[in-house]
Amino acid sequence: MNISQSRFFRLFGSGLPTTCALQDLEAMEYGSIDDRRALLALARSVHPATVIEIGVQSGGTAKLLLDELPCIRKYIGIDLPPGQTTAIPDQASEIPLAPGGLVADHPAFKLRLARSENIKPGSLPKADLIFVDGGHDKDTVLADSLLAADRIKPGGIIVWHDYHNHTVHVTEAIDQINQANGDHICLVEGTWIVFQLAATIEEGE
């Protein structure tokens, strides 16, 4: 399922930041300006009190969302401890030396150092917004997606990054999920952002 950028931003809002300059979005770790705008628009649409980010890196995305959305009371950032291996060798360089460092002092931010596949769903709270941007091999994306489906609240949104990034396996994993579950994950055209509304997630997915 695809949605054009023009229609997406009409439905979900502009995604324009208020706490930083528009061009600053491009400097935030990985992703284009339109990727960040789409994520911010989706986040604003659900007024999240609780956010989970799988693959928090140094905390650029967390800082954007926490700065823009004072409604966030709990932000859990998950990442690998330094020195861990990755299934895609090129991703090893993306493991941060100081995960979540840009928001380490924010009172809402909590860091969880672990492989996401080793996290028991019940050890995480239910969330209004979950951003999946961790390991980009197919097995990890599938595992992270199952975790996200279990932890998303009714009315919430799951967002994935790096769809159509052909150097990794996110597209393959998302296409498999869509084929199995009714094509409910939607691509924002011209971005690497796909999202799913919690209302379309079936029990036990």
Side-chain angles (χ1 to χ4, degrees):
M1 184 188 308
N2 293 6
I3 184 171
S4 69
Q5 279 195 40
S6 59
R7 185 173 182 221
F8 173 84
F9 287 120
R10 281 200 308 271
L11 290 172
F12 289 95
S14 70
L16 293 172
T18 61
T19 60
C20 65
L22 181 61
Q23 60 267 28
D24 291 342
L25 295 184
E26 196 165 34
M28 291 180 181
E29 298 166 343
Y30 306 99
S32 69
I33 288 176
D34 288 336
D35 290 352
R36 299 302 172 194
R37 283 183 61 203
L39 174 61
L40 183 53
L42 288 166
R44 283 175 175 156
S45 76
V46 293
H47 305 285
T50 302
V51 177
I52 295 172
E53 181 181 0
I54 301 174
V56 72
Q57 240 282 332
S58 62
T61 298
K63 186 176 189 310
L64 172 68
L65 295 182
L66 286 165
D67 286 351
E68 293 285 331
L69 297 168
C71 55
I72 297 174
R73 295 290 177 259
K74 184 178 294 184
Y75 195 114
I76 298 173
I78 300 169
D79 218 309
L80 293 174
Q84 294 287 300
T85 58
T86 56
I88 297 177
D90 286 349
Q91 274 205 287
S93 63
E94 298 177 14
I95 299 175
L97 294 177
L102 293 174
V103 287
D105 294 332
H106 195 289
F109 182 76
K110 303 296 180 187
L111 178 64
R112 183 82 177 264
L113 291 178
R115 289 189 174 275
S116 53
E117 63 266 29
N118 294 332
I119 294 176
K120 295 180 179 179
S123 69
L124 294 173
K126 291 280 189 172
D128 306 286
L129 174 72
I130 300 178
F131 185 41
V132 181
D133 195 21
H136 287 8
D137 60 286
K138 182 179 177 182
D139 287 344
T140 300
V141 177
L142 291 173
D144 290 349
S145 300
L146 284 172
L147 179 63
D150 185 271
R151 293 291 88 194
I152 197 68
K153 289 181 182 178
I157 297 179
I158 302 172
V159 184
W160 293 259
H161 192 233
D162 282 291
Y163 189 89
H164 277 339
N165 177 355
H166 298 299
T167 67
V168 294
H169 309 147
V170 175
T171 305
E172 183 181 357
I174 295 299
D175 286 351
Q176 179 175 315
I177 295 169
N178 257 341
Q179 185 175 11
N181 296 298
D183 195 31
H184 294 304
I185 299 175
C186 183
L187 168 68
V188 182
E189 291 179 353
T191 77
W192 285 355
I193 292 289
V194 293
F195 67 96
Q196 182 175 15
L197 306 179
T200 66
I201 297 173
E202 297 179 3
E203 192 75 23
E205 182 179 323

